Amino acid sequence: MVEDNEDIREGLTDLLESEGYSVTSKGSAEEGLALLRAESFHLVITDYMLPGETGRWMLEQAEREQRLRGTEAVMITAHPRVTPPPGVRLMHKPLDIDDFLRVVYESVTPLRAVGG
């Protein structure tokens, strides 16, 4: 998860971990991209507006570097006119927690079905 607001990052991390997910989090797009270069993930959740580069930039750069093969992505934003990269799900703030958990579950469920 890439989110610059520490309270939101910690809150979503705690929520996801309480649901049984393993979460790694960073505070900027550049840190998130470095993590994607070092490890692979089932799901990337990123805020759109981050210090420095945007979450969209991070996802597009990771895609160009072929770091997102088989990885689902969700971009969260408070901005009304953000367009996500192709194949990326968009969720608007404030997040409805039930909707957020449903999107996360739907994003990783196919992986569980094939043993990922």
Side-chain angles (χ1 to χ4, degrees):
M1 173 182 324
V2 183
E3 168 63 62
D4 61 314
N5 182 302
E6 187 175 349
D7 291 336
I8 294 172
R9 186 174 62 241
E10 288 179 5
L12 290 177
T13 296
D14 290 347
L15 173 68
L16 291 170
E17 288 178 344
S18 75
E19 294 290 320
Y21 298 104
S22 175
V23 180
T24 303
S25 61
K26 294 294 179 184
S28 74
E30 295 85 355
E31 291 173 336
L33 183 58
L35 191 59
L36 288 169
R37 288 172 174 157
E39 298 180 43
S40 61
F41 297 90
H42 295 292
L43 175 64
V44 176
I45 301 169
T46 184
D47 191 14
Y48 170 75
M49 187 59 67
L50 296 165
E53 299 291 349
T54 65
R56 180 184 176 104
W57 171 87
M58 178 194 72
L59 293 172
E60 288 174 339
Q61 187 63 35
E63 181 65 31
R64 275 193 293 279
E65 295 177 17
Q66 300 182 355
R67 303 289 177 182
L68 294 179
R69 283 193 212 156
T71 302
E72 297 289 324
V74 175
M75 192 165 60
I76 300 168
T77 186
H79 297 276
R81 292 190 263 297
V82 168
T83 303
V88 174
R89 293 179 85 161
L90 183 67
M91 297 194 75
H92 288 278
K93 292 179 182 177
L95 287 176
D96 176 287
I97 297 304
D98 292 331
D99 285 345
F100 174 71
L101 289 174
R102 179 185 48 76
V103 166
V104 169
Y105 179 79
E106 288 173 356
S107 297
V108 298
T109 297
L111 298 169
R112 291 180 178 168
V114 295

